[in-house]
PDB file of all heavy atoms in Angstrom:
ATOM      1  N   GLY S 324     -38.531  13.114   0.066  1.00  0.00           N
ATOM      2  CA  GLY S 324     -38.522  12.678  -1.330  1.00  0.00           C
ATOM      3  C   GLY S 324     -37.193  13.032  -1.964  1.00  0.00           C
ATOM      4  O   GLY S 324     -36.344  13.681  -1.326  1.00  0.00           O
ATOM      5  N   ARG S 325     -37.031  12.603  -3.211  1.00  0.00           N
ATOM      6  CA  ARG S 325     -35.812  12.977  -3.909  1.00  0.00           C
ATOM      7  C   ARG S 325     -35.773  14.492  -4.062  1.00  0.00           C
ATOM      8  O   ARG S 325     -36.772  15.106  -4.429  1.00  0.00           O
ATOM      9  CB  ARG S 325     -35.779  12.320  -5.297  1.00  0.00           C
ATOM     10  CG  ARG S 325     -35.195  10.933  -5.268  1.00  0.00           C
ATOM     11  CD  ARG S 325     -35.018  10.362  -6.646  1.00  0.00           C
ATOM     12  NE  ARG S 325     -36.266   9.865  -7.192  1.00  0.00           N
ATOM     13  CZ  ARG S 325     -36.925  10.411  -8.192  1.00  0.00           C
ATOM     14  NH1 ARG S 325     -36.460  11.495  -8.800  1.00  0.00           N
ATOM     15  NH2 ARG S 325     -38.056   9.901  -8.621  1.00  0.00           N
ATOM     16  N   TYR S 458     -33.468  10.378   3.388  1.00  0.00           N
ATOM     17  CA  TYR S 458     -34.452   9.750   2.496  1.00  0.00           C
ATOM     18  C   TYR S 458     -33.733   8.818   1.507  1.00  0.00           C
ATOM     19  O   TYR S 458     -32.751   9.228   0.852  1.00  0.00           O
ATOM     20  CB  TYR S 458     -35.271  10.815   1.751  1.00  0.00           C
ATOM     21  CG  TYR S 458     -36.122  10.177   0.675  1.00  0.00           C
ATOM     22  CD1 TYR S 458     -37.216   9.381   1.023  1.00  0.00           C
ATOM     23  CD2 TYR S 458     -35.805  10.298  -0.680  1.00  0.00           C
ATOM     24  CE1 TYR S 458     -37.958   8.738   0.047  1.00  0.00           C
ATOM     25  CE2 TYR S 458     -36.558   9.666  -1.660  1.00  0.00           C
ATOM     26  CZ  TYR S 458     -37.632   8.884  -1.290  1.00  0.00           C
ATOM     27  OH  TYR S 458     -38.366   8.237  -2.246  1.00  0.00           O
ATOM     28  N   GLY S 459     -34.236   7.609   1.382  1.00  0.00           N
ATOM     29  CA  GLY S 459     -33.565   6.562   0.609  1.00  0.00           C
ATOM     30  C   GLY S 459     -33.145   6.986  -0.791  1.00  0.00           C
ATOM     31  O   GLY S 459     -32.041   6.683  -1.235  1.00  0.00           O
ATOM     32  N   GLY S 460     -34.025   7.681  -1.495  1.00  0.00           N
ATOM     33  CA  GLY S 460     -33.724   8.077  -2.874  1.00  0.00           C
ATOM     34  C   GLY S 460     -32.563   9.064  -2.967  1.00  0.00           C
ATOM     35  O   GLY S 460     -31.962   9.226  -4.018  1.00  0.00           O
ATOM     36  N   ASN S 461     -32.259   9.747  -1.839  1.00  0.00           N
ATOM     37  CA  ASN S 461     -31.118  10.675  -1.811  1.00  0.00           C
ATOM     38  C   ASN S 461     -29.871  10.033  -1.215  1.00  0.00           C
ATOM     39  O   ASN S 461     -28.757  10.464  -1.498  1.00  0.00           O
ATOM     40  CB  ASN S 461     -31.434  11.900  -0.932  1.00  0.00           C
ATOM     41  CG  ASN S 461     -32.607  12.709  -1.436  1.00  0.00           C
ATOM     42  OD1 ASN S 461     -32.818  12.807  -2.626  1.00  0.00           O
ATOM     43  ND2 ASN S 461     -33.384  13.284  -0.523  1.00  0.00           N
ATOM     44  N   MET S 463     -29.260   6.366  -0.559  1.00  0.00           N
ATOM     45  CA  MET S 463     -28.787   5.051  -1.004  1.00  0.00           C
ATOM     46  C   MET S 463     -28.154   5.215  -2.374  1.00  0.00           C
ATOM     47  O   MET S 463     -28.846   5.426  -3.376  1.00  0.00           O
ATOM     48  CB  MET S 463     -29.966   4.087  -1.164  1.00  0.00           C
ATOM     49  CG  MET S 463     -30.610   3.696   0.133  1.00  0.00           C
ATOM     50  SD  MET S 463     -31.755   2.371  -0.188  1.00  0.00           S
ATOM     51  CE  MET S 463     -33.268   3.218  -0.501  1.00  0.00           C
ATOM     52  N   LYS S 466     -29.385   3.248  -5.676  1.00  0.00           N
ATOM     53  CA  LYS S 466     -30.671   3.402  -6.359  1.00  0.00           C
ATOM     54  C   LYS S 466     -30.518   4.391  -7.517  1.00  0.00           C
ATOM     55  O   LYS S 466     -29.857   4.081  -8.492  1.00  0.00           O
ATOM     56  CB  LYS S 466     -31.751   3.786  -5.348  1.00  0.00           C
ATOM     57  CG  LYS S 466     -33.069   3.237  -5.833  1.00  0.00           C
ATOM     58  CD  LYS S 466     -34.134   3.236  -4.838  1.00  0.00           C
ATOM     59  CE  LYS S 466     -35.360   2.501  -5.233  1.00  0.00           C
ATOM     60  NZ  LYS S 466     -35.420   1.433  -6.161  1.00  0.00           N
ATOM     61  N   LYS S 467     -31.089   5.561  -7.422  1.00  0.00           N
ATOM     62  CA  LYS S 467     -31.114   6.430  -8.582  1.00  0.00           C
ATOM     63  C   LYS S 467     -29.772   7.109  -8.857  1.00  0.00           C
ATOM     64  O   LYS S 467     -29.529   7.608  -9.955  1.00  0.00           O
ATOM     65  CB  LYS S 467     -32.226   7.471  -8.417  1.00  0.00           C
ATOM     66  CG  LYS S 467     -33.623   6.843  -8.364  1.00  0.00           C
ATOM     67  CD  LYS S 467     -33.817   5.923  -9.528  1.00  0.00           C
ATOM     68  CE  LYS S 467     -35.239   5.468  -9.773  1.00  0.00           C
ATOM     69  NZ  LYS S 467     -36.132   5.231  -8.705  1.00  0.00           N
ATOM     70  N   HIS S 486     -35.317   3.309 -16.325  1.00  0.00           N
ATOM     71  CA  HIS S 486     -36.187   3.350 -15.143  1.00  0.00           C
ATOM     72  C   HIS S 486     -37.380   2.423 -15.421  1.00  0.00           C
ATOM     73  O   HIS S 486     -38.489   2.880 -15.682  1.00  0.00           O
ATOM     74  CB  HIS S 486     -36.646   4.801 -14.933  1.00  0.00           C
ATOM     75  CG  HIS S 486     -37.331   5.061 -13.633  1.00  0.00           C
ATOM     76  ND1 HIS S 486     -38.193   6.117 -13.448  1.00  0.00           N
ATOM     77  CD2 HIS S 486     -37.288   4.419 -12.443  1.00  0.00           C
ATOM     78  CE1 HIS S 486     -38.640   6.116 -12.209  1.00  0.00           C
ATOM     79  NE2 HIS S 486     -38.106   5.094 -11.579  1.00  0.00           N
ATOM     80  N   PRO S 507     -43.159   6.960 -14.734  1.00  0.00           N
ATOM     81  CA  PRO S 507     -42.667   7.865 -13.697  1.00  0.00           C
ATOM     82  C   PRO S 507     -43.096   7.343 -12.323  1.00  0.00           C
ATOM     83  O   PRO S 507     -44.000   6.518 -12.226  1.00  0.00           O
ATOM     84  CB  PRO S 507     -43.372   9.183 -14.021  1.00  0.00           C
ATOM     85  CG  PRO S 507     -43.737   9.076 -15.461  1.00  0.00           C
ATOM     86  CD  PRO S 507     -44.039   7.637 -15.692  1.00  0.00           C
ATOM     87  N   SER S 508     -42.462   7.849 -11.271  1.00  0.00           N
ATOM     88  CA  SER S 508     -42.765   7.409  -9.913  1.00  0.00           C
ATOM     89  C   SER S 508     -44.247   7.610  -9.611  1.00  0.00           C
ATOM     90  O   SER S 508     -44.838   8.608 -10.024  1.00  0.00           O
ATOM     91  CB  SER S 508     -41.969   8.230  -8.909  1.00  0.00           C
ATOM     92  OG  SER S 508     -40.637   8.313  -9.338  1.00  0.00           O
ATOM     93  N   ALA S 509     -44.823   6.655  -8.906  1.00  0.00           N
ATOM     94  CA  ALA S 509     -46.204   6.752  -8.432  1.00  0.00           C
ATOM     95  C   ALA S 509     -47.236   6.783  -9.567  1.00  0.00           C
ATOM     96  O   ALA S 509     -48.234   7.492  -9.501  1.00  0.00           O
ATOM     97  CB  ALA S 509     -46.390   7.969  -7.515  1.00  0.00           C
ATOM     98  N   LYS S 512     -46.357   1.667 -11.567  1.00  0.00           N
ATOM     99  CA  LYS S 512     -45.275   0.800 -12.028  1.00  0.00           C
ATOM    100  C   LYS S 512     -45.185  -0.475 -11.191  1.00  0.00           C
ATOM    101  O   LYS S 512     -45.205  -1.584 -11.734  1.00  0.00           O
ATOM    102  CB  LYS S 512     -43.976   1.602 -11.934  1.00  0.00           C
ATOM    103  CG  LYS S 512     -42.780   0.936 -12.491  1.00  0.00           C
ATOM    104  CD  LYS S 512     -41.857   2.015 -13.046  1.00  0.00           C
ATOM    105  CE  LYS S 512     -40.415   1.651 -13.017  1.00  0.00           C
ATOM    106  NZ  LYS S 512     -39.681   2.404 -12.011  1.00  0.00           N
ATOM    107  N   ASP S 527     -38.204  -1.482 -10.662  1.00  0.00           N
ATOM    108  CA  ASP S 527     -37.760  -0.081 -10.767  1.00  0.00           C
ATOM    109  C   ASP S 527     -36.682   0.206 -11.810  1.00  0.00           C
ATOM    110  O   ASP S 527     -36.793   1.182 -12.532  1.00  0.00           O
ATOM    111  CB  ASP S 527     -37.283   0.403  -9.394  1.00  0.00           C
ATOM    112  CG  ASP S 527     -37.277   1.921  -9.274  1.00  0.00           C
ATOM    113  OD1 ASP S 527     -38.114   2.577  -9.912  1.00  0.00           O
ATOM    114  OD2 ASP S 527     -36.418   2.456  -8.557  1.00  0.00           O
ATOM    115  N   PHE S 548     -38.333  -0.850  -2.988  1.00  0.00           N
ATOM    116  CA  PHE S 548     -38.488   0.334  -2.134  1.00  0.00           C
ATOM    117  C   PHE S 548     -39.770   0.975  -2.660  1.00  0.00           C
ATOM    118  O   PHE S 548     -39.725   1.821  -3.533  1.00  0.00           O
ATOM    119  CB  PHE S 548     -37.255   1.228  -2.309  1.00  0.00           C
ATOM    120  CG  PHE S 548     -37.263   2.519  -1.548  1.00  0.00           C
ATOM    121  CD1 PHE S 548     -37.485   2.554  -0.175  1.00  0.00           C
ATOM    122  CD2 PHE S 548     -36.992   3.723  -2.190  1.00  0.00           C
ATOM    123  CE1 PHE S 548     -37.454   3.758   0.526  1.00  0.00           C
ATOM    124  CE2 PHE S 548     -36.956   4.932  -1.501  1.00  0.00           C
ATOM    125  CZ  PHE S 548     -37.187   4.941  -0.139  1.00  0.00           C
ATOM    126  N   ASN S 622     -45.460   9.833   0.311  1.00  0.00           N
ATOM    127  CA  ASN S 622     -44.321   9.094  -0.248  1.00  0.00           C
ATOM    128  C   ASN S 622     -43.750   8.099   0.776  1.00  0.00           C
ATOM    129  O   ASN S 622     -42.614   7.665   0.659  1.00  0.00           O
ATOM    130  CB  ASN S 622     -43.241  10.078  -0.714  1.00  0.00           C
ATOM    131  CG  ASN S 622     -42.212   9.443  -1.638  1.00  0.00           C
ATOM    132  OD1 ASN S 622     -42.521   8.481  -2.357  1.00  0.00           O
ATOM    133  ND2 ASN S 622     -40.991   9.944  -1.633  1.00  0.00           N
ATOM    134  N   ARG S 624     -42.950   4.629   2.445  1.00  0.00           N
ATOM    135  CA  ARG S 624     -42.539   3.471   1.643  1.00  0.00           C
ATOM    136  C   ARG S 624     -42.347   2.225   2.498  1.00  0.00           C
ATOM    137  O   ARG S 624     -42.287   2.296   3.726  1.00  0.00           O
ATOM    138  CB  ARG S 624     -41.242   3.796   0.904  1.00  0.00           C
ATOM    139  CG  ARG S 624     -41.497   4.895  -0.144  1.00  0.00           C
ATOM    140  CD  ARG S 624     -40.399   5.032  -1.153  1.00  0.00           C
ATOM    141  NE  ARG S 624     -40.791   6.013  -2.159  1.00  0.00           N
ATOM    142  CZ  ARG S 624     -40.847   5.774  -3.464  1.00  0.00           C
ATOM    143  NH1 ARG S 624     -40.572   4.588  -3.950  1.00  0.00           N
ATOM    144  NH2 ARG S 624     -41.212   6.725  -4.305  1.00  0.00           N
ATOM    145  N   ALA S 687     -43.587  11.798  -5.235  1.00  0.00           N
ATOM    146  CA  ALA S 687     -42.308  11.089  -5.092  1.00  0.00           C
ATOM    147  C   ALA S 687     -41.115  12.037  -5.119  1.00  0.00           C
ATOM    148  O   ALA S 687     -40.016  11.673  -4.730  1.00  0.00           O
ATOM    149  CB  ALA S 687     -42.149  10.028  -6.165  1.00  0.00           C
ATOM    150  N   THR S 688     -41.329  13.257  -5.613  1.00  0.00           N
ATOM    151  CA  THR S 688     -40.264  14.254  -5.489  1.00  0.00           C
ATOM    152  C   THR S 688     -40.853  15.464  -4.778  1.00  0.00           C
ATOM    153  O   THR S 688     -42.080  15.646  -4.758  1.00  0.00           O
ATOM    154  CB  THR S 688     -39.728  14.717  -6.862  1.00  0.00           C
ATOM    155  OG1 THR S 688     -40.831  15.200  -7.623  1.00  0.00           O
ATOM    156  CG2 THR S 688     -39.070  13.582  -7.623  1.00  0.00           C
ATOM    157  N   PHE S 705     -33.096  11.251 -14.100  1.00  0.00           N
ATOM    158  CA  PHE S 705     -31.839  10.531 -13.861  1.00  0.00           C
ATOM    159  C   PHE S 705     -30.859  10.642 -15.025  1.00  0.00           C
ATOM    160  O   PHE S 705     -29.793  10.049 -14.987  1.00  0.00           O
ATOM    161  CB  PHE S 705     -32.150   9.057 -13.558  1.00  0.00           C
ATOM    162  CG  PHE S 705     -33.323   8.921 -12.613  1.00  0.00           C
ATOM    163  CD1 PHE S 705     -34.510   8.340 -13.015  1.00  0.00           C
ATOM    164  CD2 PHE S 705     -33.236   9.441 -11.333  1.00  0.00           C
ATOM    165  CE1 PHE S 705     -35.602   8.264 -12.160  1.00  0.00           C
ATOM    166  CE2 PHE S 705     -34.321   9.375 -10.466  1.00  0.00           C
ATOM    167  CZ  PHE S 705     -35.504   8.783 -10.883  1.00  0.00           C
TER     168      PHE S 705
HETATM  169  C1  SPV V1092     -38.851   6.721  -7.551  1.00  0.00           C
HETATM  170  O1  SPV V1092     -39.186   7.781  -7.026  1.00  0.00           O
HETATM  171  O2  SPV V1092     -38.902   6.535  -8.783  1.00  0.00           O
HETATM  172  C2  SPV V1092     -38.388   5.612  -6.724  1.00  0.00           C
HETATM  173  C3  SPV V1092     -37.991   5.885  -5.354  1.00  0.00           C
HETATM  174  O3  SPV V1092     -38.277   4.524  -7.203  1.00  0.00           O
HETATM  175  S1  SPV V1092     -36.522   6.787  -5.263  1.00  0.00           S
HETATM  176  O4  SPV V1092     -35.534   5.923  -4.652  1.00  0.00           O
HETATM  177  O5  SPV V1092     -36.781   7.928  -4.427  1.00  0.00           O
HETATM  178  O6  SPV V1092     -36.113   7.151  -6.592  1.00  0.00           O
END
Side-chain angles (χ1 to χ4, degrees):
R325 273 187 281 111
Y458 171 70
N461 299 326
M463 291 190 269
K466 210 166 189 26
K467 296 309 193 325
H486 191 203
S508 314
K512 186 148 151 252
D527 200 31
F548 178 53
N622 196 29
R624 293 195 175 237
T688 56
F705 317 114

